[in-house]
Amino acid sequence: MSEGSDRGQPILRKVLRRIPLRAELHAILVYCQRWFSTLRIVQPIRRVFARGTLPPTYPARPLSRSSGQHTAVAGRVIVVTGTLGAGGAERQAVNTLTGLVARGHRDVALLCEAMAPGEGDFFAAPLRRAGVSARTVKRLDEMDPAMRALAELVASRYRHRLSTLPPWIAESICRYAAEFITQRPQVVHSWLDEMNVKAGIAALIAGVPKIVLSCRSVAPTHFGLYQPYMRNGYRTLLRQPNVTILNNSVAGSRDYARWLGISADRIKVLRNGVRTEDFVRASAREARAFRDQIQIWNGPVIGGLMRFNEEKGPFLWIQAAAIVARERPDASFLMVGDGALLAAAKDRAQAYGFLERMVFPGVVANPAAALSAMDVLLLTSRLEGLPNALVEAQMIGVPVVTTDGGGASEAILPEVTGFAVRPHDARFLAERILFILADETWRRRATQESPAFIAERFGYERMIDETLAVYEMPSAVEDFSPSLIRAAA
């Protein structure tokens, strides 16, 4: 931060101490705006607001103290997700953070919208072990007076532009902007559409040098959570040269490009990275113990890992399993996961007459143990970006059958490690499962080939290398210096 802003900070604190605790918020804002006019940190915001537009660009390099403007902390990375729940995007965000720490980049942190105990903090433990700070973004009433003044100042300066957004989105942008102005990261990396728009625009307002937006599937118009503001938000962000958009599959990047009306080259494909130590095949004894726990003792097991919602196709899964159940009386069925359609899926299995051969254990703490108990993994998503379940199953040598939707076919070695089926028809899915169960030679080869294929295409270190290249940061902290950032910018 500039010397001018350093001198201004004590003045601001004195003014804030003089404000009566019961003063109206408007009065607080007037005081803060008067004194913030002496600080260099908000000069970019003031100039932009005078033009009445979102900033066309911010400098791509850290600004020097002598320039009198806000300076990013070299090497500081803030990752932003909605939650730390048991989802594929959340797993990859955590893998990214722990990978950065392993390379020596320790000035990293995670901000979440919500992190409630239970479902919302499923991946909190690995971050704690890695020493990564993880917390929710502060509400206005949780902020100290200076940070709250920043949030209110952003709201005031951008009121016309923010008025085009849903009120809760605009309010979140102001809170994130205050966080980023205060924390001064070099990189903000957000995940999934809503967070990409909110954190991305906030980072733009705050003058963050590098903004990275990770999309994890096909365009949001295919899903029920789509909101119209998302397209305009992305298009605003993509006009900025310091913004990079990522997708984890070729199919996903092409679909986003079509939706946004841009060249597919504007979206970089960065495939998921799997930590091999997280998915080691359980021993025969451990797999047998898991089967005993869920009360499956004999015969082949057809399994699935999914969120029970519409796009994951749980009813198609049940329909295909019913066909297999008729042909293979010795087979059992294991559906791991939770979601809104779980009860309806159980009712569907009951209607098909094989519920007693199915197990629904919910979300499991050790998915590798569940996968090791399976003979085939079945995925029936209507659309996918790049399914973690397929990657993780093959990592431990489990053959897979999947609907050919989105980037699912990119996650297998066709007819060697599994099958991508089109059209999305229960009979065709069941035929592939029955083939795998019947052909022991094919199954043995798939078990041998799958781990090597996954390690090559979805290697963890490869993902960290490519992420650091996007950040324009060195691959290891030993190479790190602010001069390298300036040279790369």
Side-chain angles (χ1 to χ4, degrees):
M1 191 177 292
S2 70
E3 295 177 2
S5 64
D6 290 342
R7 290 194 297 269
Q9 289 286 6
I11 298 173
L12 175 63
R13 287 196 291 270
K14 291 179 181 178
V15 171
L16 290 172
R17 282 199 296 269
R18 292 174 185 171
I19 298 172
L21 290 177
R22 297 178 180 273
E24 295 292 334
L25 179 61
H26 176 71
I28 295 175
L29 184 57
V30 169
Y31 272 104
C32 292
Q33 286 179 312
R34 179 190 304 172
W35 289 101
F36 264 84
S37 66
T38 69
L39 303 181
R40 301 287 184 168
I41 190 171
V42 294
Q43 291 298 324
I45 297 176
R46 181 178 297 107
R47 288 197 299 271
V48 167
F49 181 70
R51 294 194 295 268
T53 61
L54 282 172
T57 185
Y58 275 91
R61 68 189 66 196
L63 301 168
S64 67
R65 292 175 62 88
S66 62
S67 70
Q69 295 183 357
H70 173 72
T71 306
V73 177
R76 178 166 293 171
V77 178
I78 295 180
V79 168
V80 183
T81 65
T83 73
L84 276 177
E90 292 80 3
R91 180 186 294 279
Q92 290 301 308
V94 169
N95 283 354
T96 298
L97 284 164
T98 56
L100 293 175
V101 170
R103 297 289 185 91
H105 297 284
R106 298 188 177 277
D107 195 356
V108 299
L110 181 128
L111 278 179
C112 286
E113 284 283 291
M115 203 163 58
E119 293 184 1
D121 66 347
F122 186 83
F123 288 115
L127 292 182
R128 284 194 296 269
R129 289 194 296 269
V132 176
S133 167
R135 63 173 177 85
T136 56
V137 64
K138 293 180 179 179
R139 302 191 308 268
L140 289 176
D141 60 1
E142 295 173 330
M143 293 179 176
D144 62 50
M147 183 182 286
R148 182 167 180 170
L150 280 172
E152 297 290 351
L153 181 59
V154 171
S156 173
R157 294 294 188 184
Y158 286 90
R159 61 183 181 273
H160 296 302
R161 297 289 286 185
L162 295 177
S163 67
T164 65
L165 296 168
W168 64 92
I169 299 295
E171 191 261 356
S172 290
I173 288 171
C174 296
R175 291 189 290 122
Y176 278 105
E179 292 270 11
F180 298 152
I181 291 171
T182 303
Q183 298 297 325
R184 300 186 297 138
Q186 179 192 338
V187 178
V188 165
H189 185 173
S190 61
W191 301 68
L192 301 179
D193 300 306
E194 180 178 324
M195 301 313 304
N196 286 345
V197 173
K198 292 195 295 191
I201 292 176
L204 200 64
I205 290 171
V208 175
K210 188 66 181 180
I211 303 168
V212 182
L213 315 174
S214 277
C215 307
R216 313 307 295 172
S217 186
V218 291
T221 47
H222 298 287
F223 307 111
L225 295 176
Y226 169 70
Q227 295 290 325
Y229 73 82
M230 292 175 177
R231 186 174 189 271
N232 288 337
Y234 272 121
R235 286 176 62 83
T236 295
L237 288 161
L238 286 169
R239 286 196 289 268
Q240 319 308 319
N242 60 324
V243 173
T244 299
I245 184 169
L246 306 176
N247 199 289
N248 59 351
S249 72
V250 173
S253 67
R254 289 174 178 170
D255 199 55
Y256 265 88
R258 174 200 56 77
W259 171 55
L260 294 172
I262 60 174
S263 169
D265 295 340
R266 186 68 175 85
I267 302 176
K268 176 177 174 58
V269 175
L270 199 160
R271 299 190 190 277
N272 293 357
V274 180
R275 292 165 52 95
T276 54
E277 60 268 33
D278 291 341
F279 288 91
V280 177
R281 187 174 184 88
S283 67
R285 181 178 179 181
E286 291 168 331
R288 193 179 310 112
F290 183 84
R291 286 192 178 206
D292 289 343
Q293 179 184 341
I294 61 176
Q295 299 184 355
I296 294 178
W297 293 286
N298 298 301
V301 175
I302 293 85
L305 273 72
M306 69 172 67
R307 291 192 311 275
F308 284 80
N309 53 26
E310 182 273 334
E311 63 264 22
K312 297 299 182 181
F315 300 150
L316 178 59
W317 199 103
I318 296 290
Q319 188 179 2
I323 297 172
V324 175
R326 288 197 298 268
E327 297 294 325
R328 291 293 299 254
D330 59 336
S332 298
F333 304 87
L334 172 62
M335 293 187 78
V336 177
D338 203 350
L341 296 180
L342 175 57
K346 292 179 180 180
D347 291 341
R348 193 67 60 95
Q350 178 70 57
Y352 280 115
F354 72 112
L355 180 61
E356 71 281 356
R357 294 164 61 185
M358 293 203 63
V359 178
F360 297 88
V363 177
V364 298
N366 184 5
L371 287 167
S372 299
M374 300 176 190
D375 295 282
V376 182
L377 177 92
L378 172 62
L379 187 75
T380 52
S381 301
R382 174 170 56 84
L383 283 170
E384 280 281 1
L386 196 141
N388 282 301
L390 295 181
V391 175
E392 292 161 2
Q394 292 170 95
M395 175 60 78
I396 61 175
V398 177
V400 297
V401 175
T402 179
T403 46
D404 187 3
S409 62
E410 299 173 42
I412 69 170
L413 196 56
E415 300 187 13
V416 176
T417 66
F419 297 92
V421 175
R422 183 178 292 275
H424 298 183
D425 184 280
R427 292 170 299 170
F428 295 119
L429 292 165
E431 285 174 3
R432 295 294 89 195
I433 294 170
L434 291 167
F435 165 80
I436 292 173
L437 295 180
D439 193 328
E440 184 178 351
T441 301
W442 186 96
R443 216 166 49 245
R444 188 182 302 112
R445 182 190 177 198
T447 298
Q448 294 170 348
E449 297 280 353
S450 294
F453 162 70
I454 294 300
E456 179 182 356
R457 183 170 293 189
F458 301 102
Y460 179 62
E461 296 300 331
R462 183 266 326 154
M463 184 268 286
I464 298 300
D465 285 337
E466 293 182 12
T467 299
L468 285 166
V470 170
Y471 291 175
E472 299 175 356
M473 289 169 59
S475 62
V477 76
E478 289 76 14
D479 304 326
F480 182 83
S481 71
S483 62
L484 285 175
I485 300 174
R486 288 193 294 270

